[in-house]
Amino acid sequence: MSAILVMSLINRHSLTQRAAQDVIHVLTAHFPAGHKSFTSLYTLKSRFATLVGKQPEATKIQYCTNCNTLLEPAKLCDCCQSFQSPLIGQFIQLDIEKQIQQLFQDSSFVSHLKDRFKYEDRVSDINSGIEYKKQLAFTGALKSMYNISLTLNTDGVAIIKSTSRGSLWPVYLTVNELPPKMRFSPRYMIMAAVWCQSQKPDVYVFLMPIMKTLQKVIEQGIQISPHPTVPLCHPIVLLVATDLPARALITCLKQFNGRYACLYCEQEGTSVAGQIYWPYEVEVTKRTKKSIIRDAKKANEEKSPVNGVKGLSPLMLLKHFDISKGVVIDYMHAVLLGVVKRLLDLWLQAAHQDKGYYIGSKVILSTTSVWIQA
C-alpha cells in the first residue's frame, strides 16, 4: 500500500525524477534499520510493478473538479474555461487487458483454472455457489476453461490517519477460480485504477472508464496466446466486494442508515429515536436487477431517490453482472462488528447483568478457550 501511496503522490504533483527521489530519501530516513522497503525510485517502481505486472502501463484520466466531467486529453470543459486556473483533477487507470495476459503466462495460474469443474455438494467457495454454476452451464460465460470470473474490490483509506484530508481509493480485481491464498496474493491481483484526491471519488467519473474497459474485454475477448488454436479469454465480473459506505457510493444507493437502504429488498425501515431500524418481516419485496434499473431510471428523471435508488450505477453496464445479487454482504461490518458484536455485548457486558439474557457470570474465560458452565 505504501508503494501505491508514493506513486500516487508522484503522479498527482507531476514530480520530476529528482524530486521523487528526494521524497523517497525523506521517507526512508524514518524507516527502521534493516527495513526491506523501497530505497530508491528504481526499487519503488519495481515494488509497484509486482502489484500490476512487470511492465505496468498507466493512463492518466483527467476530469473537471468543478462539474465532475471526464475530459479528453488537452481539452477543457465549458465550466473549466470560465476559470482563470482550470480545475483539472486526475486519477490513474491501469491496463487490465495486459495484466490478464501476463497472468496467463504463469503456469500455476493456468493449472488452477480447471478447478472450477470440480463440483462439490457443499458450498465452500465462490465457484461452488448457485450463481457461479449458472455461468458454468453449457450456455454460460464460464463454460470455457480460458474464461475467468472476477471480483471487484474497492474502498477508501485516509492517506494520513490523523487527518481526513485526502483519500486513496484503489480498485482491485481478483480471479475467483484461484484458491484463496493465490487469489489474494499481490502477484495474482489485478489493479484497475487508483484515485488519490482530497475528496471522495465521483462514482461516474471514477468507475465509468473502468466499466467501459471491462465491457470491452468482456465482449471482444483477450488474446492470451499467439497460437490461433487457443481461444480468447472473455472475463466476466461476477461479484463486487466493498464495505457499506463504499457500496452505497458505487451502487448509487442511499447510505446504510437511510430509508430503503437495503440493496436486497425494498423494506423502508422504521425511525426509532432518530435512527432507522428494519424490524423482521416475513413478507418483503425483494429487489431484482430489473427493478433496480427501473428505479434508477426514474430517479434520474425525477432528480430524486426512488425506493432508495439515487440513479444509474456504472456497474449496470457490465454484461452478466446482476447488481441485486452480485454485490456481496459486508461480512466484517454486518456480522463481526455488527450483529455478533452486539449479541456478545448484551450477553457478557456487566451493564446488562440484571437482564435475563445476561450470561457473563456463567462464563469462565481462558487464554485458550471458553467454557460455559452448566
Side-chain angles (χ1 to χ4, degrees), residues 100-116 145-146 148 177-178 182 188 224:
I100 292 177
Q101 288 174 332
Q102 290 174 344
L103 289 178
F104 274 92
Q105 304 307 309
D106 188 311
S107 58
S108 180
F109 172 85
V110 175
S111 66
H112 279 92
L113 297 183
K114 301 176 183 178
D115 294 344
R116 77 185 77 181
M145 187 196 80
Y146 296 99
I148 58 176
E177 285 68 31
L178 299 178
M182 286 181 64
Y188 296 104
I224 56 175

Side-chain angles (χ1 to χ4, degrees), residues 49 68 73 99 171 186 192 229 231 243 258 264 285 291 305 351 358:
N68 286 325
Q99 291 178 73
V171 176
T229 57
D243 65 3
Y264 313 106
T285 302
S291 71
Y358 176 73

Side-chain angles (χ1 to χ4, degrees), residues 10 28 31 53 65 87 110 125 152 182 228 278 295:
I10 293 171
T28 54
F31 290 166
T65 59
L87 305 177
V110 175
D125 201 353
L152 185 148
M182 286 181 64
W278 288 267
D295 291 341

Side-chain angles (χ1 to χ4, degrees), residues 15-291:
L15 299 183
T16 63
Q17 288 194 10
R18 179 62 182 272
Q21 186 64 63
D22 290 345
V23 168
I24 293 170
H25 284 161
V26 172
L27 289 173
T28 54
H30 294 80
F31 290 166
H35 71 86
K36 297 181 180 180
S37 187
F38 49 85
T39 56
S40 66
L41 186 58
Y42 174 79
T43 55
L44 171 63
K45 290 180 177 179
S46 299
R47 178 67 58 85
F48 190 74
T50 61
L51 298 175
V52 294
K54 295 181 179 179
Q55 296 178 345
E57 294 185 4
T59 302
K60 295 180 182 179
I61 307 296
Q62 295 186 330
Y63 68 98
C64 173
T65 59
N66 185 61
C67 65
N68 286 325
T69 301
L70 287 168
L71 303 176
E72 296 293 332
K75 291 185 179 181
L76 300 177
C77 66
D78 293 337
C79 79
C80 287
Q81 294 174 352
S82 65
F83 292 88
Q84 291 183 350
S85 299
L87 305 177
I88 297 177
Q90 62 184 16
F91 62 93
I92 299 174
Q93 182 177 355
L94 294 109
D95 193 331
I96 296 173
E97 181 174 351
K98 186 168 185 177
Q99 291 178 73
I100 292 177
Q101 288 174 332
Q102 290 174 344
L103 289 178
F104 274 92
Q105 304 307 309
D106 188 311
S107 58
S108 180
F109 172 85
V110 175
S111 66
H112 279 92
L113 297 183
K114 301 176 183 178
D115 294 344
R116 77 185 77 181
F117 302 108
K118 298 177 181 178
Y119 287 94
E120 297 181 5
D121 295 332
R122 60 187 176 86
V123 176
S124 59
D125 201 353
I126 295 170
N127 56 15
S128 55
I130 294 175
E131 294 302 318
Y132 187 92
K133 288 182 178 179
K134 287 180 182 178
Q135 299 298 336
L136 276 181
F138 181 73
T139 57
L142 298 176
K143 63 182 182 294
S144 167
M145 187 196 80
Y146 296 99
N147 292 348
I148 58 176
S149 68
L150 305 170
T151 294
L152 185 148
N153 305 265
T154 187
D155 195 9
V157 58
I159 297 176
I160 303 175
K161 292 184 178 180
S162 61
T163 178
S164 60
R165 295 183 61 187
S167 62
L168 178 75
W169 286 72
V171 176
Y172 284 102
L173 299 166
T174 54
V175 181
N176 300 323
E177 285 68 31
L178 299 178
K181 188 174 181 180
M182 286 181 64
R183 188 183 309 163
F184 299 108
S185 167
R187 180 177 179 179
Y188 296 104
M189 294 174 71
I190 301 166
M191 192 195 301
V194 180
W195 174 284
C196 184
Q197 296 292 333
S198 59
Q199 72 283 351
K200 288 184 178 181
D202 176 271
V203 63
Y204 297 103
V205 169
F206 189 35
L207 289 187
M208 195 60 76
I210 303 171
M211 296 303 109
K212 288 183 178 180
T213 298
L214 286 171
Q215 189 59 18
K216 177 184 175 182
V217 298
I218 289 170
E219 293 182 347
Q220 298 181 7
I222 301 172
Q223 185 176 358
I224 56 175
S225 172
H227 301 290
T229 57
V230 178
L232 298 178
C233 169
H234 292 268
I236 67 170
V237 177
L238 189 68
L239 298 171
V240 172
T242 68
D243 65 3
L244 288 175
R247 187 184 74 180
L249 177 69
I250 67 175
T251 59
C252 295
L253 214 72
K254 281 192 173 182
Q255 283 290 352
F256 61 91
N257 54 356
R259 294 186 182 275
Y260 297 104
C262 180
L263 179 60
Y264 313 106
C265 75
E266 295 180 0
Q267 187 177 2
E268 180 181 1
T270 303
S271 179
V272 179
Q275 292 187 335
I276 304 296
Y277 292 87
W278 288 267
Y280 174 73
E281 294 182 9
V282 177
E283 298 293 334
V284 295
T285 302
K286 293 184 178 180
R287 295 190 194 268
T288 63
K289 180 178 180 179
K290 185 177 179 179
S291 71

